[in-house]
Amino acid sequence: MAKGRGWWDRFTSMKTGLYLLVAVSIASALGTLYPQGQVQTAWERFLQLGDIYHSWWYITLLSLLAFNLIACNISRIKPMIKSLFYYQQLLDAKQVMKFKLNHFLHLPGDLERVRNQVIGTLSGQGYQVWSETGEDSVKIGAQKGRFYTLGSFITHLSFVIILLGALFGGLFGYEGYINAAVGSTFSLNQIPGITKSRITNDFAIRADKFWLERYPNGTPSGYFSRLTIMEKDKVVQTATIAVNQPLEYRGVKFYQTSYGQLARIEVFTPDGSKSQQELLGEGDILVIPGTDYHLLLYRYDPAAAMYSNLKVKELKIIYALYKGDKLAGTGKVGINQLVPVDEQGNGFKFAGFIPTTGLQVKKDPGVPIVIFGSLSIVLGIGMIMLLKPRKIWAVLEKQDNSVSISLGGNSRRHSLEFEEEFRNLVVGIKEA
Amino acid sequence: MNQYENLAFIITFAAYSAAMLFYVWYFVSKREAVGQIASITTIVGWIANTVALTIRSIMAGRLPFSNGYEFLLAFAWGIVLIYLWVEYRHRLKSLGAFVIPIAWILLAYVLVAIPIEQKTVVPLMAALRSKWLSVHVATAILSYGAFAVSFGLAVMYLIKVRNENSGSKSRIIGNLPAARLLDELSYKSITFGFFFLALVIVSGAIWAEQAWGSYWTWDPKETWSLITWLIYGAYLHARLTYGWRGKRAAVLAIIGFIAVMFTFFGVNYFLAGLHSYA
């Protein structure tokens, strides 16, 4: 017996693993119960309680768990290979009868006949059998479900693969969100939220079209955008995306997340020519060039505007005009009606709504790793669930005009089921 | 709600209520005839449950997986289905007194707390339209059903063992099947549930990745289903490696089911999040 387990042994033991599992569970629960977002006190900031899942201590816990899993797995590779490929162990009669599940019986006949009887019964029940025949005795070993250990190994390894995939994505992936006006073109590094340094291949996206589909009762059933990808001003690809169907190009995915609209405002100079055209959303401000005035687009009327069931000519915007800091006027205006701003003749027109498509743009190189890990963990758990490792040993000894059989069985789990199987085995051997 | 569906629901609820009472009566008296009636009543209820779900599916043109009412009806169905299978395989009628009440409570909740809007069939929201919905919810139904049965078994086990230890020969408790059988069945149930819960989480993650570009967002429902999974994982480890059987395993199984209930109910009603469809 080793003198005392070193810290390495203790750290990579399953017991530590279980404690880490419990700690991760409690920490994860904390993240759902503690209001995330705003933190006030210095303690909360230090512990990053506003973003628990990305806090230093949570990541440390996960890393320790991953480390523990890897170490546990490594230490089990050798015994697993042994149990899968070098398992053909044989025991003697005394050892066999030491098992909790054992039976001793006599059968008439000669050694060879009884041997075939026993092996036949075992094979018939699906066991893999091996034996060693001597002068007066035969040693038999049999087993079933030995790939259970492989299933366990795959399960734990998969967990690590998933964590590694998440880490990889976290380090090299990026994510942003843009409300793109239909007809506009933008490049990856213009998308708000994306960490520019991580963009390895930039390209342009043009939002060509957006549309809504509805159920008969009017609620939206789906919404779609047509996007065109361009590299160096040449069209590379055009595709339609829907809520559950993103576009993927060079590892970057475009998700249809939401939609909206912007009002087109045209500014006119006193001589009647259009000096400017801008897209404004609710709450946006436009400075009228050459004047002290600026325009605040307060609200669409109705709020749903182009997505309501009103006709285009019935849509309006509610606005406020400011001269310097003072409110100069408010009003509601429909499409294509010139609103004078000052005495000189400057004015603006509301020229209609343009749909915007809400796109979430993501690149996560870790996704394939995580999906692979997820599928293999399902495989591993399936193997654990379906495979039941069991071993049977038998020692046949020639007696005067019969053969004695010492039978023993071992199974780590499902002992009641195995006990019944063992009993059936004994019956099967007797009746063979 | 369609009148036939309504009728089927009422029959389901009535049958489960009656079955519950018969099982308790059987548990107390151990009279075979009572046990038979209990089983038959349960089967009738389950058939009515199936009919209700089928009518709804036909009317909606999809499987009944889109809101709280539909889930609860489907979960009760799953619990009773797995219970019936266990009862048939292992002749454990007394388990009914512990598992059928769970299905009953879900339906009672539907009666008192689910608003009428959820009972009318509405078309599926854009965000839920995906083939992953069926996989995700079907596996959830199977896993929750298995965990509910394991919970019933664990409770029965604790009652049985407390009775054995105290030495009192209560006639009722003595009627319970061998503690060891209860313990092992609970373990088998949990293994089954654990596998399907893994499928729930994985299918949810792959679906989320397709729909929103994020396979994991630490949404409370996702997080709590993971916690539930880890608790049952701890149960399996403690059992296989530390020989944690019997009482300790039963307690852990009960804690796991509390986590299941919190994941399903607690998260919806105490914590806000992306998962607010059911």
Side-chain angles (χ1 to χ4, degrees), chain A residues 346-360:
Chain A
N346 289 292
F348 75 89
K349 251 195 218 176
F350 161 49
F353 286 108
I354 298 222
T356 62
T357 173
L359 301 172
Q360 183 164 42

Side-chain angles (χ1 to χ4, degrees), chain B residues 31-227:
Chain B
R31 288 180 45 195
E32 263 316 304
V34 175
Q36 293 280 52
I37 297 176
S39 299
I40 293 174
T41 318
T42 308
I43 293 174
V44 167
W46 186 80
I47 292 175
N49 201 338
T50 311
V51 168
L53 288 168
T54 310
I55 294 178
R56 196 163 181 91
S57 303
I58 295 174
M59 283 197 336
R62 56 170 165 77
L63 289 171
F65 292 156
S66 69
N67 64 19
Y69 164 66
E70 293 179 352
F71 288 148
L72 286 170
L73 195 58
F75 281 138
W77 179 90
I79 291 172
V80 173
L81 172 67
I82 294 188
Y83 166 73
L84 283 172
W85 193 80
V86 171
E87 186 196 276
Y88 170 69
R89 273 301 303 286
H90 297 276
R91 313 246 173 277
L92 262 189
K93 287 200 204 297
S94 28
L95 182 61
F98 295 88
V99 175
I100 302 296
I102 301 175
W104 183 87
I105 287 176
L106 294 183
L107 294 186
Y109 181 80
V110 167
L111 272 181
V112 304
I114 296 282
I116 193 74
E117 305 88 65
Q118 284 200 32
K119 296 187 185 165
T120 34
V121 176
V122 288
L124 211 47
M125 292 171 55
L128 288 181
R129 283 168 65 189
S130 165
K131 61 183 184 302
W132 284 106
L133 176 67
S134 303
V135 174
H136 184 64
V137 177
T139 48
I141 289 171
L142 288 173
S143 81
Y144 280 18
F147 289 140
V149 168
S150 78
F151 171 78
L153 288 164
V155 169
M156 274 175 79
Y157 177 88
L158 288 176
I159 294 176
K160 174 88 175 165
V161 161
R162 194 163 66 111
N163 164 254
E164 277 176 1
N165 286 347
S166 73
S168 72
K169 285 282 163 221
S170 153
R171 194 176 60 101
I172 298 169
I173 313 278
N175 291 336
L176 282 176
R180 212 174 136 207
L181 175 65
L182 296 173
D183 176 60
E184 285 196 14
L185 278 182
S186 187
Y187 163 58
K188 271 179 95 166
S189 250
I190 286 177
T191 307
F192 183 87
F194 185 74
F195 173 74
F196 280 98
L197 184 56
L199 275 178
V200 174
I201 295 173
V202 165
S203 62
I206 297 179
W207 181 16
E209 170 61 32
Q210 264 193 14
W212 303 306
S214 258
Y215 53 82
W216 192 261
T217 56
W218 296 109
D219 163 86
K221 194 103 166 177
E222 285 175 341
T223 307
W224 275 95
S225 53
L226 181 66
I227 293 171

Side-chain angles (χ1 to χ4, degrees), chain A residues 215 221 244 362 415 417 419, chain B residues 124 129 180 184 188 213:
Chain A
Y215 289 116
S221 67
N244 280 349
K362 279 198 75 162
S415 36
E417 223 176 279
E419 277 171 25
Chain B
L124 211 47
R129 283 168 65 189
R180 212 174 136 207
E184 285 196 14
K188 271 179 95 166

Side-chain angles (χ1 to χ4, degrees), chain A residues 13-16 18 21-22 24-26 28-30 32-33 53-54 58 62 100 148 155-156 159 162 165-167 169 175 213 215-217 219-224 243-246 253 255-257 360 362 364 366-367 370-371 374-375 377-379 381-385 388 412-417 419, chain B residues 89-90 122-132 178-182 184-185 187-188 191-196 198-199 202-203 205-221 223-224 226-231 233-242 245 262 267 270-272:
Chain A
S13 71
M14 185 172 306
K15 200 162 179 192
T16 311
L18 277 180
L21 258 186
V22 171
V24 167
S25 301
I26 294 177
S28 307
L30 195 65
T32 65
L33 303 169
Y53 303 110
H54 300 106
Y58 190 82
L62 277 186
K100 214 176 83 166
Y148 169 88
T155 304
H156 293 93
F159 205 93
I162 292 173
L167 177 68
E175 177 182 345
E213 272 175 16
Y215 289 116
N217 72 358
T219 52
S221 67
Y223 35 102
F224 310 82
V243 168
N244 280 349
Q245 289 157 294
K253 288 184 171 170
Y255 293 86
Q256 178 73 71
T257 312
Q360 183 164 42
K362 279 198 75 162
D364 188 343
V367 165
V370 169
I371 292 194
S374 305
L375 295 176
I377 208 174
V378 166
L379 171 70
I381 298 177
M383 287 173 76
I384 289 177
M385 184 175 71
K388 299 168 203 164
R412 264 195 328 159
R413 0 173 283 170
H414 295 300
S415 36
L416 271 180
E417 223 176 279
E419 277 171 25
Chain B
R89 273 301 303 286
H90 297 276
V122 288
L124 211 47
M125 292 171 55
L128 288 181
R129 283 168 65 189
S130 165
K131 61 183 184 302
W132 284 106
R180 212 174 136 207
L181 175 65
L182 296 173
E184 285 196 14
L185 278 182
Y187 163 58
K188 271 179 95 166
T191 307
F192 183 87
F194 185 74
F195 173 74
F196 280 98
L199 275 178
V202 165
S203 62
I206 297 179
W207 181 16
E209 170 61 32
Q210 264 193 14
W212 303 306
S214 258
Y215 53 82
W216 192 261
T217 56
W218 296 109
D219 163 86
K221 194 103 166 177
T223 307
W224 275 95
L226 181 66
I227 293 171
T228 304
W229 189 79
L230 291 177
I231 291 175
Y235 171 98
L236 293 173
H237 280 92
R239 196 182 178 92
L240 291 172
T241 314
Y242 291 106
R245 296 180 184 225
F262 186 77
V267 164
F270 297 117
L271 312 170

Side-chain angles (χ1 to χ4, degrees), chain A residues 131-424:
Chain A
S131 61
E132 189 183 87
T133 308
E135 273 272 335
D136 299 328
S137 68
V138 180
K139 287 186 185 166
I140 299 175
Q143 79 170 347
K144 240 179 162 187
R146 77 183 192 275
F147 283 99
Y148 169 88
T149 45
L150 183 63
S152 175
F153 182 77
I154 290 175
T155 304
H156 293 93
L157 190 65
S158 305
F159 205 93
V160 173
I161 292 176
I162 292 173
L163 289 176
L164 286 178
L167 177 68
F168 191 64
L171 288 177
F172 297 104
Y174 52 76
E175 177 182 345
Y177 180 83
I178 186 167
N179 279 311
V182 165
S184 68
T185 304
F186 54 92
S187 66
L188 281 185
N189 59 31
Q190 291 173 315
I191 298 175
I194 292 188
T195 314
K196 295 194 188 20
S197 55
R198 294 188 186 177
I199 300 178
T200 53
N201 49 328
D202 203 353
F203 51 86
I205 306 100
R206 192 177 63 208
D208 291 325
K209 213 177 146 197
F210 173 80
W211 68 100
L212 209 58
E213 272 175 16
R214 295 180 194 265
Y215 289 116
N217 72 358
T219 52
S221 67
Y223 35 102
F224 310 82
S225 301
R226 195 160 70 226
L227 303 175
T228 296
I229 308 278
M230 301 194 292
E231 295 250 32
K232 302 195 198 334
D233 296 333
K234 273 200 359 213
V235 171
V236 173
Q237 192 182 349
T238 297
T240 299
I241 62 170
V243 168
N244 280 349
Q245 289 157 294
L247 161 66
E248 180 172 353
Y249 179 73
R250 296 180 75 178
V252 185
K253 288 184 171 170
F254 298 86
Y255 293 86
Q256 178 73 71
T257 312
S258 67
Y259 58 94
Q261 58 204 311
L262 292 173
R264 213 168 68 220
I265 305 291
E266 292 170 345
V267 179
F268 291 87
T269 51
D271 64 15
S273 60
K274 184 159 67 169
S275 65
Q276 200 177 356
Q277 177 178 283
E278 286 288 338
L279 293 176
L280 297 186
E282 289 175 330
D284 284 346
I285 291 178
L286 173 65
V287 174
I288 312 283
T291 72
D292 268 348
Y293 287 86
H294 44 274
L295 166 70
L296 164 72
L297 194 155
Y298 179 57
R299 281 279 169 80
Y300 306 148
D301 179 46
M306 66 185 288
Y307 301 111
S308 68
N309 46 17
L310 294 183
K311 295 205 190 40
V312 168
K313 58 185 194 270
E314 294 170 309
L315 300 176
K316 298 189 173 59
I317 57 165
I318 302 171
Y319 65 87
L321 272 175
Y322 288 83
K323 183 172 184 273
D325 287 336
K326 292 184 50 168
L327 184 65
T330 65
K332 192 167 18 176
V333 68
I335 290 191
N336 281 330
Q337 292 163 27
L338 186 63
V339 177
V341 167
D342 60 10
E343 268 84 74
Q344 279 71 30
N346 289 292
F348 75 89
K349 251 195 218 176
F350 161 49
F353 286 108
I354 298 222
T356 62
T357 173
L359 301 172
Q360 183 164 42
V361 183
K362 279 198 75 162
K363 180 170 180 169
D364 188 343
V367 165
I369 301 174
V370 169
I371 292 194
F372 173 73
S374 305
L375 295 176
S376 62
I377 208 174
V378 166
L379 171 70
I381 298 177
M383 287 173 76
I384 289 177
M385 184 175 71
L386 294 170
L387 298 172
K388 299 168 203 164
R390 315 149 249 194
K391 287 196 169 116
I392 304 274
W393 284 273
V395 177
L396 279 48
E397 285 163 315
K398 192 159 121 128
Q399 310 291 321
D400 286 325
N401 40 20
S402 66
V403 175
S404 74
I405 307 176
S406 305
L407 207 61
N410 186 25
S411 162
R412 264 195 328 159
R413 0 173 283 170
H414 295 300
S415 36
L416 271 180
E417 223 176 279
F418 185 57
E419 277 171 25
E420 191 178 320
E421 193 176 322
F422 190 76
R423 278 194 294 270
N424 291 340

